[in-house]
């Protein structure tokens, strides 16, 4: 019993050291688990993924399980930094590193690519097509119809030389349904919204609105490979556009997460119109609040550009007077130089999150790109 306590104590000291203090796979703080075959400390979520790879990884709790001396010594020799140098020796710049908040398929495929397929150890010279010099990548995905809920088999083709994503309906030889530029394309996994664990949302500007595509593939490896191939294509575009910028700087701009999404109620420009429930989506990179009739719409109803505080943008909470048609009472006022918006949230927690999200955007100074985007991109409503 004494030896058990001693070994757990050694591990608990070890896990506090730099490198070990963040999950080896998703960077979550204070990992509580360890793979004693690989020699890494991981969080509870990633531990669950390791359990699915019993041939490669065996896990134990560093607090609750019994550890033999030899396993503790192995953990002391290895640890997250040593193992990272081995298994993440050559991760391509475009490859997405998942964080603790990312969905399961991204974390699972990252762990499989790293330890099971050993894609980044440098030993098997990157045969995966998304990472090689291949200029094209093709994937057949299920894509939601523009005006209905049906998902249809659709061929997606990426071109690193044309900087485009095109898609074709299967068995239709009429040419692509759309050829999409990499310029402002974004892609984010959204399993809950799409109601599929591998659901991926792709958005891009079309004329003066944002077009949304919702896709998935039954196979986790296939959808994550497609996502990374798409990131490789967009990085190629960014490198062409900004040849003097460092690749790791460009890599952080490849795709942008959504800051917050969800339903709020919204009134019209005179604020006498009745409130209507809309699906809102706030994106930091474009400083844009989009709103939709429902979450899986192909196009938005409107878009609001969010400048900075010093340019007359402000946000505040207020108590709502009862207004016709409104069932929700937690109110947010958003002031822009052109218009005052009033939104209502169902609950205070939601209101707080939206306020924080808006403040996050408007507290940041505008970049030259932001000015250009505001001036030229679209009619803001
Ligand atoms: C690239 O562009 C050329 C010329 O427009 C076109 O013929 C070709 O099919 C494109 N390739 C891909 C993969 O989109
Ligand atoms: Zn983790």
């Amino acid at each position: 019993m004494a030896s058990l306590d001693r070994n757990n104590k050694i591990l608990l000291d070890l896990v506090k050291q730099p490198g070990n203090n963040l999950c080896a796979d998703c960077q979550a703080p204070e990992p509580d688990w360890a793979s004693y075959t690989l020699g890494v400390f991981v969080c509870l979520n990633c531990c669950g993924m390791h359990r699915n790879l019993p041939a490669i990884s065996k896990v134990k709790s560093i607090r609750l399980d019994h550890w033999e001396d030899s396993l503790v010594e192995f953990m002391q020799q290895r640890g997250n930094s040593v193992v990272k140098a081995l298994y993440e020796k050559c991760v391509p710049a475009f490859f997405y590193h998942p964080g603790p908040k990312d969905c399961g398929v991204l974390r699972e495929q990252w762990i499989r690519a790293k330890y099971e397929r050993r894609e980044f150890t440098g030993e098997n010279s990157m045969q995966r097509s998304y990472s090689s010099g291949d200029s094209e990548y093709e994937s057949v995905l299920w894509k939601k119809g523009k005006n209905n809920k049906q998902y249809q088999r659709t061929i997606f083709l990426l071109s690193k030389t044309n900087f485009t994503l095109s898609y074709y309906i299967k068995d239709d030889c009429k040419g692509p349904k759309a050829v999409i530029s990499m310029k402002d394309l974004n892609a984010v996994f959204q399993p809950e919204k799409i109601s599929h664990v591998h659901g991926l949302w792709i958005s891009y500007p079309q004329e003066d609105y944002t077009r949304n595509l919702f896709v998935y593939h039954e196979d986790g490896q296939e959808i994550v490979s497609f996502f990374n191939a798409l990131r490789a294509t967009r990085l190629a575009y960014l490198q062409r556009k900004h040849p003097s910028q460092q690749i790791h700087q460009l890599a952080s701009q490849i795709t942008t997460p959504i800051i917050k999404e969800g339903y709020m109620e919204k009134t019209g420009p005179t604020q006498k119109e009745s409130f209507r429930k809309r699906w809102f989506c706030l994106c930091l990179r474009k400083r844009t609040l989009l709103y939709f009739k429902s979450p899986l719409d192909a196009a938005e109803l409107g878009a609001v550009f969010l400048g900075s505080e010093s340019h007359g943008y402000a946000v505040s909470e207020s108590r709502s007077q009862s207004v016709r048609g409104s069932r929700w009472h937690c109110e947010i006022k958003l002031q822009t130089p052109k218009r005052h918006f009033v939104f209502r949230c169902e609950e205070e927690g939601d209101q707080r999150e939206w306020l924080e999200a808006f403040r996050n955007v408007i507290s940041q100074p505008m970049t030259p790109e932001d000015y250009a985007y505001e001036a030229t991109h679209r009619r803001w409503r």
Side-chain angles (χ1 to χ4, degrees):
M1 207 54 199
S3 127
L4 183 151
D5 287 342
R6 194 182 68 97
N7 280 346
N8 290 97
K9 201 174 160 292
I10 294 173
L11 290 169
L12 289 171
D13 282 340
L14 202 54
V15 80
K16 290 199 189 92
Q17 291 178 8
N20 295 339
N21 62 346
L22 302 175
C23 170
D25 297 322
C26 79
Q27 308 289 304
E30 296 173 24
D32 256 350
W33 293 77
S35 164
Y36 59 88
T37 50
L38 292 167
V40 287
F41 294 92
V42 294
C43 73
L44 177 64
N45 280 333
C46 292
C47 172
M49 307 290 177
H50 280 253
R51 283 187 201 282
N52 294 333
L53 310 173
I56 291 154
S57 184
K58 294 197 168 44
V59 286
K60 278 179 189 279
S61 162
I62 59 174
R63 286 174 195 280
L64 308 172
D65 287 326
H66 170 73
W67 285 76
E68 286 149 34
D69 293 350
S70 61
L71 296 184
V72 173
E73 275 163 35
F74 180 68
M75 292 307 297
Q76 284 170 321
Q77 284 159 18
R78 289 279 187 118
N80 291 4
S81 303
V82 170
V83 175
K84 182 174 173 161
L86 191 66
Y87 286 95
E88 296 184 34
K89 192 173 159 201
C90 43
V91 185
F94 61 80
F95 204 96
Y96 188 79
H97 293 238
K101 289 189 180 143
D102 275 310
C103 64
V105 70
L106 270 174
R107 280 182 300 114
E108 184 194 346
Q109 289 304 319
W110 167 240
I111 288 167
R112 286 186 185 275
K114 227 166 111 173
Y115 308 111
E116 190 181 47
R117 301 195 293 270
R118 301 168 72 95
E119 289 183 21
F120 316 124
T121 55
E123 65 203 291
N124 44 15
S125 68
M126 300 306 234
Q127 351 71 334
R128 307 259 337 131
S129 48
Y130 54 72
S131 47
S132 74
D134 282 4
S135 63
E136 286 180 18
Y137 184 93
E138 187 185 300
S139 191
V140 181
L141 308 175
W142 291 101
K143 175 191 159 293
K144 185 183 168 292
K146 186 175 178 185
N147 301 314
N148 60 44
K149 292 193 169 78
Q150 307 298 317
Y151 281 77
Q152 196 174 11
R153 300 283 277 175
T154 307
I155 302 166
F156 284 84
L157 187 62
L158 284 157
S159 166
K160 262 194 216 167
T161 41
N162 293 2
F163 306 116
T164 52
L165 169 68
S166 19
Y167 67 88
Y168 303 74
I169 303 305
K170 214 167 164 56
D171 305 324
D172 176 356
C173 326
K174 275 188 249 155
K177 293 270 281 182
V179 180
I180 304 157
S181 158
M182 283 294 128
K183 184 167 182 282
D184 286 309
L185 179 138
N186 194 23
V188 182
F189 276 94
Q190 291 199 309
E192 278 167 38
K193 191 162 103 177
I194 299 170
S195 306
H196 192 285
V197 285
H198 303 156
L200 181 69
W201 171 40
I202 300 169
S203 68
Y204 58 95
Q206 187 176 67
E207 290 151 17
D208 60 352
Y209 65 91
T210 303
R211 175 78 164 92
N212 298 317
L213 304 177
F214 300 100
V215 298
Y216 69 87
H217 192 286
E218 299 88 337
D219 184 64
Q221 189 182 343
E222 183 64 37
I223 194 74
V224 174
S225 293
F226 172 76
F227 176 65
N228 278 307
L230 198 148
R231 286 178 51 91
T233 311
R234 221 182 100 73
L235 181 60
Y237 164 82
L238 291 171
Q239 281 181 290
R240 167 67 66 91
K241 194 172 170 211
H242 309 283
S244 61
Q245 274 196 43
Q246 299 269 327
I247 192 159
H248 67 264
Q249 254 177 317
L250 295 175
S252 68
Q253 301 166 30
I254 302 177
T255 51
T256 332
I258 299 305
I259 305 186
K260 181 154 169 70
E261 259 197 316
Y263 282 113
M264 288 193 289
E265 291 184 331
K266 167 184 177 300
T267 177
T270 70
Q271 293 168 26
K272 297 210 166 62
E273 297 86 351
S274 52
F275 278 80
R276 288 177 204 279
K277 192 171 156 186
R278 297 288 181 237
W279 180 264
F280 286 83
C281 177
L282 182 60
C283 183
L284 178 61
R285 188 179 58 194
K286 293 284 166 222
R287 308 186 75 114
T288 310
L289 177 70
L290 297 175
Y291 56 94
F292 304 87
K293 206 162 173 188
S294 58
L296 298 184
D297 287 351
E300 88 267 7
L301 290 175
V304 182
F305 183 82
L306 295 179
S308 63
E309 275 159 340
S310 52
H311 288 80
Y313 290 81
V315 62
S316 60
E317 60 194 298
S318 64
R319 306 200 60 182
S320 71
Q321 290 90 42
S322 171
V323 174
R324 275 162 294 139
S326 176
R327 292 170 294 119
W328 294 353
H329 299 282
C330 305
E331 198 166 274
I332 295 176
K333 290 205 159 100
L334 173 68
Q335 197 178 318
T336 77
K338 287 184 192 141
R339 182 171 160 185
H340 290 204
F341 290 89
V342 179
F343 305 126
R344 285 177 176 179
C345 308
E346 190 171 15
E347 292 166 5
E348 272 176 31
D350 215 22
Q351 178 191 31
R352 236 185 346 258
E353 283 178 21
W354 274 113
L355 279 167
E356 205 178 298
F358 285 133
R359 285 187 181 130
N360 183 346
V361 179
I362 66 174
S363 64
Q364 306 204 17
M366 302 248 292
T367 63
E369 289 82 28
D370 291 335
Y371 285 110
Y373 186 67
E374 180 187 22
T376 61
H377 235 79
R378 58 171 79 230
R379 58 198 159 96
W380 304 100
R381 277 153 280 186

